[in-house]
């Protein structure tokens, strides 16, 4: 059972434009969500998070939106830069478990 | 401050061999985790620990063992390597259950 789904394996965006990465979840007990960024041959690094009591969290060029009724969250990167090219994972946590559940990732390519 | 370190970076094992993947953190985090990432997949939790002396199974614990004798170290043991254990292994630590800090990974091939 895939509790966190990232249905787009890849996304290509022009430099300077907006990148929108999507994530859907099925577990209604999740109360906290995180986005991680991963470059090849490196471990994931934490990017931004959001609590379920909020619907938006912003950090510089990165904004995460949460729609609880749709069980959907998205990561917006504006403006996109070539250095943003990486795999992005969303993850949820909450309920009886204190374990992060990760999606399968979206490979973002920002074209110069 | 080295963060989370993992050794080795790469390893090739023959079927049936054993090995230990090392993980250490210098941030005094209570929580530590082992994940594996297969191609095109997300990270799957193998084992985790909420403090020294306390470990618990994650989603995919079969074929692995862990110990947590100190806050800093969290080694992962493969007793009888199988081809299905070919993967990239990541260790992580966190001060709370939320934001986890990952090591650089160990790429393991079992042939």
């Amino acid at each position: 059972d895939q509790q966190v789904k990232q249905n787009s394996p890849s996304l290509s965006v022009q430099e300077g434009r907006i990148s929108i990465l999507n994530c859907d979840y099925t577990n209604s007990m999740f109360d906290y969500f995180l986005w991680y960024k991963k470059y090849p041959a490196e471990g994931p690094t934490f990017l931004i998070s959001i609590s379920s009591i909020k619907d938006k969290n912003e950090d510089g060029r990165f904004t995460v939106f949460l729609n609880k009724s749709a069980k959907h969250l998205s990561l917006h990167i504006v403006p996109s830069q070539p250095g943003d090219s990486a795999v992005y994972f969303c993850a949820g946590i909450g309920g009886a478990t204190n374990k992060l559940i990760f999606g399968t990732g979206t490979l973002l390519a920002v074209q110069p | 401050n080295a963060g989370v370190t993992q050794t080795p970076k790469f390893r090739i094992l023959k079927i049936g061999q054993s090995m230990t993947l090392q993980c250490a953190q210098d941030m005094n985090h209570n929580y530590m985790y082992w994940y594996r990432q297969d191609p095109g997949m997300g990270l799957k939790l193998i084992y985790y620990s909420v403090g020294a002396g306390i470990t618990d199974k994650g989603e995919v614990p079969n074929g692995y063992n862990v110990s947590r004798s100190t806050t800093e170290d969290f080694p992962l043991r493969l007793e009888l390597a199988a081809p299905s254990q070919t993967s990239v292994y990541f260790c992580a630590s966190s001060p709370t259950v939320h934001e986890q800090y990952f090591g650089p990974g160990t790429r393991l091939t079992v042939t």
Side-chain angles (χ1 to χ4, degrees):
Chain A
D1 173 33
Q2 191 91 28
Q3 297 185 58
V4 179
K5 300 177 188 178
Q6 294 178 257
N7 292 318
S8 298
S10 63
L11 175 68
S12 183
V13 170
Q14 286 293 121
E15 180 178 5
R17 307 294 286 267
I18 185 172
S19 295
I20 300 176
L21 295 94
N22 293 304
C23 180
D24 297 295
Y25 63 96
T26 58
N27 190 336
S28 57
M29 299 301 290
F30 285 155
D31 58 12
Y32 202 82
F33 302 88
L34 303 91
W35 284 93
Y36 281 83
K37 176 179 179 179
K38 184 183 180 305
Y39 292 119
E42 294 184 11
T45 55
F46 169 74
L47 189 58
I48 192 169
S49 62
I50 188 167
S51 164
S52 62
I53 62 173
K54 294 186 174 182
D55 55 17
K56 177 182 174 181
N57 188 28
E58 194 170 350
D59 184 1
R61 297 185 297 114
F62 302 91
T63 302
V64 56
F65 295 92
L66 175 62
N67 182 333
K68 282 183 65 178
S69 61
K71 292 193 176 68
H72 177 83
L73 62 156
S74 60
L75 174 68
H76 293 210
I77 306 174
V78 184
S80 301
Q81 300 173 354
D84 296 328
S85 298
V87 176
Y88 290 78
F89 293 98
C90 68
I93 187 169
T97 178
N98 58 1
K99 306 164 203 169
L100 280 178
I101 305 297
F102 284 86
T104 52
T106 296
L107 174 62
L108 173 66
V110 180
Q111 310 295 336
Chain B
N1 189 335
V4 179
T5 57
Q6 291 183 240
T7 55
K9 282 188 168 49
F10 304 94
R11 183 72 187 267
I12 299 175
L13 279 183
K14 293 192 186 307
I15 294 171
Q17 285 185 320
S18 301
M19 78 163 293
T20 299
L21 282 68
Q22 301 291 346
C23 175
Q25 53 97 3
D26 61 0
M27 296 174 282
N28 202 33
H29 289 165
N30 283 326
Y31 296 85
M32 293 190 76
Y33 308 83
W34 274 106
Y35 294 90
R36 58 177 286 172
Q37 186 191 10
D38 299 325
M41 304 294 288
L43 288 85
K44 298 287 187 185
L45 183 65
I46 305 171
Y47 270 96
Y48 69 103
S49 169
V50 300
I54 307 169
T55 62
D56 206 350
K57 296 177 181 178
E59 297 174 78
V60 289
N62 291 343
Y64 307 94
N65 272 303
V66 293
S67 60
R68 184 97 182 270
S69 55
T70 66
T71 299
E72 294 78 19
D73 300 297
F74 191 39
L76 177 71
R77 179 86 178 156
L78 284 71
E79 289 295 347
L80 290 170
S84 61
Q85 293 177 306
T86 293
S87 190
V88 181
Y89 291 83
F90 291 102
C91 178
S93 73
S94 62
T96 69
V97 299
H98 293 149
E99 297 166 21
Q100 297 180 13
Y101 298 82
F102 284 81
T106 294
R107 184 175 295 275
L108 176 67
T109 302
V110 182
T111 61

